[in-house]
Every structure is written in structure tokens, then in C-alpha cells.
């Protein structure tokens, strides 16, 4: 089976980071259009992150049998899940504001978004380490 996870992961990385960037710009310029764009990017980023988690889980089985240290896989997986849940909380807060359950907490959602980006970058780093350091998904293809 062709590795799909490496093709998918770039979408949540780009979309979630850009969502936080638009939230920051919205705070700076107090523009509702930037907030709406950030929200749309957040939803798309979370959907693609969910897909990245599913494809990563499917491909984990093949990579585990390729001699990749389980601890390295666990760290990447844990950070991927943490990224998803941090941004899911940001989305939940944004939806709560939208329906009027809570007052707008733009600084809170922006701060959580920045924390989410840090976790996302760590997950990306460890994912890259799996590929470039351990040959995850590469060695199996070259030995066919």
C-alpha cells in the first residue's frame, strides 16, 4: 500500500498554522473577516488533522515491522493527538462564543492556538525524524 500519511500531513500543518496567523492579524487589525477566515482554516485544519491521524494509525502497523523504535513512534503519535485536541478545544471555544454561551475570549483562543502550533511543530519534527532519521516508510519501499 502506498503511504498516504506523508501526503496528508502537510495540510493540517499549513492550515492550522495559517489559522493562528489569521487570528493574530484579526487581533491586530480588529477585522471580523480575518476571524472568519481563521475559523474556516481551523475547521479545515482539524478535518485534515483527523485524516492524518487515521492514515498515520493505519501506516503505523507497517512501519512498526520495519524496525523503527516504538518509542519514537509513540512520541510522534502522542504529539499528533495532543495537537488535534488543543485545536479541538480552540474550535469548541470559538463555537461557544458564536452561539453566545461565553463572551469572546480572543486572547485565550489565540494563546491556545499558539500553544497548539508549538505542539504541532514538535509533532512535525518527530515525524520528520522518523522518516529522515530512521527511514520510516522509506526502507520498506526500497527493499521491494
Amino acid at each position: 500500500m502506498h503511504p498516504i500519511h506523508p501526503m496528508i500531513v502537510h495540510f493540517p500543518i499549513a492550515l492550522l498554522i495559517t489559522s493562528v496567523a489569521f487570528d493574530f492579524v484579526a487581533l491586530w487589525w480588529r477585522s471580523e473577516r480575518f476571524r472568519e477566515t481563521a475559523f474556516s482554516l481551523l475547521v479545515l485544519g482539524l478535518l485534515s488533522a483527523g485524516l492524518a491521524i487515521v492514515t498515520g494509525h493505519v501506516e503505523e502497523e507497517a512501519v512498526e515491522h520495519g524496525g523503527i523504535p516504538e518509542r519514537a513512534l509513540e512520541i510522534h503519535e502522542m504529539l499528533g493527538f495532543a495537537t488535534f485536541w488543543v485545536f479541538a478545544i480552540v474550535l469548541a471555544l470559538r463555537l461557544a462564543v458564536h452561539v453566545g454561551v461565553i463572551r469572546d475570549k480572543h486572547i485565550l483562543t489565540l494563546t491556545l492556538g499558539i500553544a497548539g502550533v508549538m505542539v504541532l511543530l514538535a509533532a512535525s519534527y518527530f515525524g520528520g525524524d522518523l522518516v529522515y532519521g530512521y527511514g520510516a516508510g522509506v526502507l520498506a519501499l526500497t527493499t521491494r
Side-chain angles (χ1 to χ4, degrees):
M1 179 175 181
H2 189 279
I4 298 171
H5 183 69
M7 296 186 313
I8 300 295
V9 296
H10 299 90
F11 289 98
I13 293 169
L15 292 166
L16 293 171
I17 290 172
T18 307
S19 172
V20 173
F22 270 82
D23 251 346
F24 181 76
V25 171
L27 180 66
W28 186 262
W29 278 320
R30 306 215 187 280
S31 169
E32 196 55 37
R33 286 191 179 206
F34 284 114
R35 295 262 304 158
E36 291 167 4
T37 302
F39 179 80
S40 298
L41 291 168
L42 174 62
V43 170
L44 291 172
L46 265 176
L47 290 172
S48 63
L51 189 57
I53 288 171
V54 169
T55 59
H57 182 69
V58 169
E59 292 174 24
E60 177 183 18
E61 300 299 319
V63 172
E64 280 180 338
H65 300 298
I68 307 301
E70 191 173 326
R71 182 73 180 137
L73 288 169
E74 288 174 358
I75 291 170
H76 176 62
E77 182 179 27
M78 177 194 64
L79 289 168
F81 278 119
T83 299
F84 180 85
W85 287 112
V86 168
F87 282 105
I89 291 168
V90 172
L91 179 61
L93 286 170
R94 297 281 303 264
L95 290 172
V97 167
H98 182 72
V99 297
V101 174
I102 61 172
R103 274 191 32 226
D104 193 4
K105 306 288 185 193
H106 193 99
I107 294 295
L108 175 62
T109 56
L110 181 61
T111 303
L112 281 172
I114 291 169
V117 166
M118 295 300 131
V119 177
L120 172 64
L121 292 175
S124 302
Y125 172 83
F126 283 101
D129 193 43
L130 286 171
V131 174
Y132 295 105
Y134 296 106
V138 176
L139 297 178
L141 292 175
T142 59
T143 59
R144 284 189 199 181

